[in-house]
Amino acid sequence: MPMPSAVDLAAHPLTIWQGPLGLPDFTRIGDGDFSGVFDAALKAHEAEIEAISGNAEAPTVENTLAALELGGEALDHVSSIFWCRAGAHTNEAIQALERDISPKMSRHFSAISMNERLFARINDLYQRRETLKLDAETLRVLEKTWKGFVRSGAKLDADGKKRLAAINEELSSLGTRFGQNLLADERDWALFLDEADLVGLPEFLKSAMAEAAEMRGQKGRYAVTLSRSIYEPFSTFSERRDLREIAFRAFTMRGQNGGATDNTAVVRDMLRLRAEKAKLLGYASFAALKLDDTMAKTPEAVHMLLDPVWEKALEKAASDQAELQRLAVEAGSNEKFAAWDWRFYQEKLRAEKFAFDEAELKPYLQLDRIIDACFDVATRLFGITFEEKKGIATWHPDARVFVVRNADGSERGLFLADYFARPSKRSGAWMSALKSGYKLGHGSKPVIYNIMNFAKPPEGKAALLSVDEAKTLFHEFGHALHGMLTDVTWPSVSGTSVSRDFVELPSQLYEHWLTVPAVLEKHALHVKTGKPMPKALVDKMLAARTFGVGFATVEFTASALVDMAYHARPDAPEEPLRFEAETLERLNMPGTIAMRHRTPHFGHIFAGDGYSAGYYSYMWSEVLDADAFAAFEETGDPFNPALAERLRKNIYAAGGSKDPEELYTAFRGKMPSPEAMMVKRGLV
């Protein structure tokens, strides 16, 4: 591995991207390249920060704020490739590097945020901001930058800065460990079955399980894995209650199996350090610290949203469970109704109430056609088009590359997508960027990617999605559009660089277009006949949209409430799992429903800082998305051109250039109440 001094950042394929379409040349990047390039890029960025902070000239927007925003390009480039690999296609070498690089990066950025000379220059501009005649976006960037420095310890004394840097470094290492432990539990567990064990399973699931078994060296058998794309349909369709129980227990015990991959101590230490960090920075709790820069602002405001929803969800789940238990008794079950029975009997109830089951929809939801639907909706709303480019090397052969063009044919950026589950990929679905789009300096075109975990079909067969998976595809593509349509000057407010409880609006809103009848008619075509989904089946699917809402809302809201309970207290619980149990008991959590994300595998809040004290934000944004789509429904045209242009300008293109309430009001004319969301969910 080369020494840092031997790395030429001006020529290395990790930092100078000279592959096809301006992408990195992935064919020239090896696992052994990252360490040396990271070290060299960190040193280069340190030199840039020193030049800014040591500048003898008086601070200006150009020599301080813009220089800070545009600095560290080599570090940005190597980081974006590395973190993509760490999530989407990891191995032991990448994981070892992740454990090394995470604390290094934390140290590096702590040093920048606590650099007294640099903060003095930012502070000088901030104190003079009213006299600098700044445009609104630049003023917002200056204010956010100043607040970011203060929230990162710029005003602490020397001892406080030292302690905060140590806390941040340790939290970074613990977050990496949490994620790697979870990946190991998910990767290493599989329940191998034979043909006789597959009673009740539809063909699409058998194919996915056969592929998963072959991938794990058990050709000819079938594997239940802990990927949601297999676990959830198995729990839904398997007639074998004993196997459903085994799968349920494995799924809910991820990260809590003892030994080297157990996350119990990791969570305890993270909560303790977060509470200490908040106290050090003068906040009553870690939730108060995290919510300070959001739409909600306080834990109390979060509870004003979550608590009424929780009560309604409990009522709905209780009435649903009574019906499910009736079905179980009618089917001859003498067992006590349990959590591994819920999905199974819920599907039976759906068939009884709406005369269809999920398996009937699958043949109409081909992955490639749902991708086309995503693109088609974007074209109709925003005028952009997508052209796939084959044969371009990326981080994995499954990843696909699309050129994104504006309505006039000019290139807007690139979109990459990696759709299939594999053992080297962490679970879930997400959007990120290899490059953000902005106009400052020489400017940058966005290079955005989506990662999914759909079950890979056998060679020559089409991948089929459930309705939930199709919604996930639209959801993450909504995030991607937020990155691709960005039209701002400053990098730090580009794309998804918005408050956590606003960032889910563009993604959740986009989900609504999946079930627009014109979209289904064009793209939901049967895998064998090519015929569109019959109107009768579409009507049943739409009628059943709020079916199962009690279960779904309880499992989500329980996770959001536990997240807030952990982080809104001034200290940290000594035994987090006992605290989880006590919190759920206090909330009257049904024993027949599990949290969507139990503590030991709650990657949103523990595999890094992302959604800590912020899991509620999906529901906060749902209040906005229900109201926003209602705006289109009120016009009678889901593609209303004038409304679509307001949506593009104020939501998808604006990034964090203005306050989110200002942006939403510019689109809709007013802020919504939670009622539209409650109605949409079928809770009132």
Side-chain angles (χ1 to χ4, degrees):
M1 196 175 290
M3 294 297 290
S5 59
V7 173
D8 181 2
L9 294 177
H12 201 284
L14 276 169
T15 55
I16 303 300
W17 295 0
Q18 295 181 325
L21 306 176
L23 284 169
D25 186 349
F26 283 93
T27 64
R28 295 174 56 214
I29 295 170
D31 294 350
D33 291 332
F34 285 104
S35 184
V37 174
F38 258 114
D39 285 344
L42 286 164
K43 284 192 173 181
H45 194 208
E46 284 170 13
E48 289 173 323
I49 296 298
E50 178 56 34
I52 299 167
S53 58
N55 191 339
E57 296 176 11
T60 64
V61 167
E62 290 72 25
N63 72 19
T64 301
L65 191 63
L68 182 61
E69 290 257 331
L70 293 172
E73 184 178 69
L75 185 58
D76 288 343
H77 283 188
V78 64
S79 296
S80 66
I81 298 172
F82 180 77
W83 296 115
C84 176
R85 279 289 313 276
H89 190 41
T90 193
N91 56 35
E92 288 186 9
I94 293 293
Q95 290 193 328
L97 278 167
E98 196 180 358
R99 292 190 292 272
D100 178 54
I101 287 165
S102 292
K104 272 186 189 174
M105 293 283 276
S106 177
R107 278 197 298 275
H108 175 73
F109 286 104
S110 285
I112 292 172
S113 61
M114 297 177 193
N115 182 316
E116 291 181 10
R117 291 175 302 152
L118 180 60
F119 178 62
R121 295 180 70 83
I122 295 292
N123 191 45
D124 178 275
L125 292 172
Y126 179 74
Q127 300 304 332
R128 293 189 289 120
R129 64 193 182 282
E130 302 298 340
T131 65
L132 295 176
K133 297 180 180 174
L134 305 177
D135 63 82
E137 184 183 326
T138 303
L139 177 60
R140 182 164 171 83
V141 169
L142 175 58
E143 289 175 341
K144 285 175 72 71
T145 303
W146 183 85
K147 287 176 184 174
F149 270 81
V150 172
R151 284 161 50 86
S152 298
K155 289 189 169 185
L156 294 177
D157 61 20
D159 286 345
K161 285 178 179 174
K162 185 178 178 183
R163 179 58 191 149
L164 183 58
I167 289 171
N168 287 338
E169 185 176 334
E170 195 174 347
L171 281 171
S172 178
S173 294
L174 288 166
T176 295
R177 202 165 121 211
F178 183 100
Q180 292 189 356
N181 287 346
L182 178 54
L183 177 64
D185 273 11
E186 291 172 343
R187 179 193 65 217
D188 296 343
W189 189 90
L191 177 62
F192 293 103
L193 304 178
D194 296 308
E195 189 74 41
D197 303 316
L198 308 184
V199 185
L201 302 190
E203 283 305 315
F204 77 82
L205 182 55
K206 291 181 187 178
S207 293
M209 289 168 61
E211 184 72 13
E214 186 171 346
M215 207 182 288
R216 288 160 177 77
Q218 295 262 3
K219 188 171 183 178
R221 301 192 76 197
Y222 302 84
V224 181
T225 70
L226 299 182
S227 165
R228 282 190 188 272
S229 61
I230 287 181
Y231 165 73
E232 288 190 355
F234 181 81
S235 303
T236 300
F237 293 111
S238 175
E239 300 277 351
R240 288 283 300 276
R241 189 174 191 266
D242 57 332
L243 299 181
R244 296 202 309 267
E245 180 179 359
I246 291 168
F248 172 84
R249 292 192 184 281
F251 193 78
T252 54
M253 290 298 287
R254 289 170 295 153
Q256 194 190 343
N257 291 303
T261 63
D262 194 285
N263 274 328
T264 308
V266 178
V267 168
R268 181 197 64 215
D269 292 347
M270 290 185 83
L271 291 172
R272 175 179 53 78
L273 289 165
R274 285 173 176 174
E276 185 184 352
K277 176 177 178 174
K279 189 175 181 182
L280 197 57
L281 289 168
Y283 288 88
S285 66
F286 187 73
L289 167 63
K290 284 297 295 288
L291 293 168
D292 188 36
D293 191 32
T294 63
M295 295 180 78
K297 300 287 189 283
T298 66
E300 291 74 23
V302 172
H303 277 286
M304 284 176 67
L305 169 68
L306 294 180
D307 292 351
V309 173
W310 179 249
E311 292 306 318
K312 294 284 186 190
L314 285 180
E315 290 172 18
K316 187 75 178 73
S319 66
D320 288 350
Q321 184 173 322
E323 290 206 71
L324 301 184
Q325 286 174 317
R326 169 184 62 80
L327 284 179
V329 170
E330 287 173 3
S333 173
N334 297 317
E335 307 282 351
K336 184 181 178 184
F337 190 85
W340 45 91
D341 294 318
W342 195 293
R343 290 183 192 278
F344 179 74
Y345 285 107
Q346 185 164 269
E347 192 56 32
K348 302 283 188 197
L349 185 61
R350 185 206 309 273
E352 180 184 279
K353 282 194 165 188
F354 300 100
F356 83 101
D357 63 31
E358 279 279 345
E360 280 184 72
L361 299 174
K362 276 254 188 179
Y364 294 96
L365 300 175
Q366 299 172 62
L367 172 60
D368 281 344
R369 293 201 179 275
I370 301 302
I371 294 167
D372 288 344
C374 279
F375 293 168
D376 185 26
V377 170
T379 302
R380 294 182 67 175
L381 286 172
F382 308 123
I384 58 174
T385 56
F386 299 80
E387 179 189 356
E388 185 164 12
K389 298 290 186 181
K390 302 272 192 181
I392 294 175
T394 62
W395 56 87
H396 189 275
D398 282 348
R400 298 163 65 177
V401 179
F402 303 85
V403 174
V404 188
R405 298 192 190 282
N406 295 308
D408 62 6
S410 60
E411 187 178 317
R412 173 151 210 97
L414 298 175
F415 172 62
L416 287 71
D418 182 355
Y419 293 111
F420 296 121
R422 53 179 172 266
S424 65
K425 184 191 281 189
R426 71 174 168 87
S427 62
W430 65 96
M431 162 270 180
S432 193
L434 292 180
K435 272 187 183 178
S436 297
Y438 55 85
K439 298 172 194 164
L440 193 68
H442 297 299
S444 170
K445 288 180 180 174
V447 180
I448 306 297
Y449 63 88
N450 275 170
I451 307 290
M452 308 287 164
N453 269 284
F454 303 138
K456 192 170 186 178
E459 192 70 37
K461 286 201 170 186
L464 303 177
L465 306 181
S466 68
V467 173
D468 281 348
E469 287 173 328
K471 281 183 181 174
T472 297
L473 188 68
F474 264 71
H475 179 101
E476 296 305 333
F477 191 72
H479 281 310
L481 285 173
H482 203 183
M484 289 184 284
L485 290 170
T486 193
D487 187 19
V488 300
T489 298
W490 292 83
S492 64
V493 292
S494 171
T496 56
S497 298
V498 299
S499 68
R500 181 60 70 194
D501 47 14
F502 191 67
V503 78
E504 296 299 333
L505 169 60
S507 53
Q508 292 179 184
L509 174 58
Y510 205 69
E511 291 178 35
H512 289 264
W513 275 277
L514 169 65
T515 51
V516 166
V519 174
L520 288 171
E521 190 177 315
K522 183 176 178 182
H523 298 285
L525 306 180
H526 195 279
V527 64
K528 289 180 179 171
T529 68
K531 291 182 178 178
M533 189 183 290
K535 185 177 184 303
L537 186 55
V538 172
D539 290 344
K540 288 174 186 176
M541 180 183 75
L542 296 179
R545 268 190 295 197
T546 60
F547 177 76
V549 68
F551 173 85
T553 307
V554 165
E555 66 164 11
F556 168 82
T557 313
S559 299
L561 287 166
V562 168
D563 168 35
M564 199 50 60
Y566 276 137
H567 292 114
R569 52 186 284 168
D571 56 0
E574 276 301 310
E575 298 180 62
L577 296 184
R578 175 184 286 185
F579 181 75
E580 175 195 87
E582 290 170 351
T583 302
L584 294 175
E585 187 177 357
R586 177 174 53 80
L587 290 168
N588 298 314
M589 176 75 171
T592 51
I593 303 178
M595 293 167 66
R596 184 161 181 83
H597 306 284
R598 285 199 55 243
T599 297
H601 53 257
F602 204 164
H604 283 77
I605 69 171
F606 291 118
D609 201 21
Y611 282 80
S612 54
Y615 193 65
Y616 78 91
S617 59
Y618 288 94
M619 189 169 283
W620 189 277
S621 291
E622 192 179 343
V623 172
L624 301 176
D625 84 64
D627 178 67
F629 193 70
F632 284 89
E633 292 179 317
E634 287 160 14
T635 71
D637 179 4
F639 298 98
N640 182 284
L643 205 51
E645 175 52 24
R646 287 218 308 271
L647 182 65
R648 183 201 63 77
K649 179 182 176 184
N650 296 297
I651 305 297
Y652 285 92
S657 60
K658 293 179 181 176
D659 179 85
E661 288 197 19
E662 185 183 340
L663 290 173
Y664 190 82
T665 304
F667 161 66
R668 188 65 163 111
K670 60 179 176 60
M671 288 298 290
S673 76
E675 293 310 308
M677 180 271 292
M678 300 269 270
V679 170
K680 174 195 152 194
R681 279 192 171 236
L683 291 172
V684 293

